[in-house]
Amino acid sequence: MKEAVPLIQTITTTDALAEYCARAAAHPYVTVDTEFLRERTYYSNLCLVQLAYPGDGPEAAVLVDPLSDGLSLEPLYALFRDENVVKVFHAARQDLEIFYVDAGLIPSPLFDTQVAAMVCGFGEQAGYETLVKRIAKAQVDKSSRFTDWSRRPLSDAQKTYALADVTHLRKVYEYLAKELKKTGRDKWVAEEMAVLTNPETYVTHPRDAWQRIKTRNNSGRYLSILRALAEFREAYAQTRNVPRSRVYKDDALIELATTKPTSVQDLGRSRLLLREARKGEIADGILKAVAEGQAVPASEQPEPDLSREKLQVNPAIADLLRVLLKGAADREGVASKLIATASDLDAIAAGLRDVPAFSGWRRDVFGKEALRLCKGEIALRVKGSTIETVEL
């Protein structure tokens, strides 16, 4: 006998969404996930929102179709503003960007189970499937992960897959929240939420876009042109909602900053520039950007951040810090990458102290000992399978 497909409610009207959000507001938390497309746009195109609050009934978990005619997400945004309901996401960065761009808000209070899992010892960048398997003792069918979520109607397989991203998340959240409270580390996760709840995390300023581009040329004149070209590309992509790579890719941008074209004929000789970018608005923007970059006075030319590249790293101290970090991570049951990155360790070994490891909870579990190790006040020893510190 064929197994019955569970009934899944899909909300397509504002009234139905408001009714659901009113019920959700009576609960301590709601789990949230989204499905979206971004291949052909600068900003994500929201295609589906999944929601679930505590409870076993089918009414507790729903799909919301934002592509439905006349549906407003304002009831959902009101729920996001409700300080009495925790909004639970897994790997929330992209989901939050969607809501911030659409409505200028960030759900609060916020809980990210990926961050919490790292604090609770589930390793680096714990995946949702792993957490569901280990905590909820369930399997997640990912066969619909790469489907086109903008097409309607959604298949039963798509709906089942989408809803699983919030139904299992309830058990994951409850387990992690309990563990954090028991260990007193809920404050650690709250510190980590600071980046996710900062609006600047979701804003790309065209003037700063050049800083993401990797280049070996540090000439002030070259960087001025690179900055102008990156600024034009970012602004053009944002205003027209197209991927920046559809304007021109990074390798073409670097080529333009190097060759400094002054005419459409020069653009025609480019090896890397897309054909569509050699004429019209994009071509005009490129030539204007190059001219503006050329005209920047020396006093206003950008300078690369070479502080980390010029670090005089003591390799012996760096190696000891890695051992100390491994010991701290094992002792605390926290992912080592969450405590300090490899570049952080090199910076500490070079004498820098303005690193995350010396503030907040990181200072307590690693930073204080790292500082004492660098000063020669403690040494390391192996005892069985653990790393211990020894007073000198």
Side-chain angles (χ1 to χ4, degrees), residues 29-106:
Y29 72 85
V30 60
T31 55
V32 189
D33 191 37
T34 68
E35 305 299 340
F36 57 87
L37 295 179
R38 198 172 188 171
E39 289 79 6
R40 300 182 182 88
T41 57
Y42 182 91
Y43 299 107
S44 296
N45 178 25
L46 181 61
C47 299
L48 196 68
V49 181
Q50 303 98 281
L51 302 168
Y53 54 73
D56 296 327
E59 75 284 350
V62 299
L63 305 178
V64 181
D65 187 355
L67 302 184
S68 298
D69 291 339
L71 184 142
S72 168
L73 291 178
E74 186 50 42
L76 176 62
Y77 295 151
L79 180 63
F80 283 173
R81 298 184 188 100
D82 190 335
E83 293 291 332
N84 296 314
V85 182
V86 178
K87 271 63 72 172
V88 181
F89 293 78
H90 180 82
R93 172 70 172 77
Q94 288 184 302
D95 301 314
L96 298 180
E97 181 181 17
I98 292 173
F99 298 127
Y100 184 77
V101 169
D102 184 60
L105 70 83
I106 297 172

Side-chain angles (χ1 to χ4, degrees), residues 209-228:
W210 70 279
Q211 296 174 353
R212 296 196 310 267
I213 301 170
K214 296 181 180 179
T215 177
R216 295 180 180 179
N217 191 334
N218 293 322
S219 158
R221 181 71 61 207
Y222 170 84
L223 292 178
S224 294
I225 300 172
L226 186 81
R227 179 176 65 183

Side-chain angles (χ1 to χ4, degrees), residues 250-260 270-273:
D250 284 359
D251 55 358
L253 193 155
I254 292 172
E255 179 193 42
L256 293 169
T258 302
T259 58
K260 308 176 186 65
S270 169
R271 295 186 302 109
L272 302 172
L273 196 61

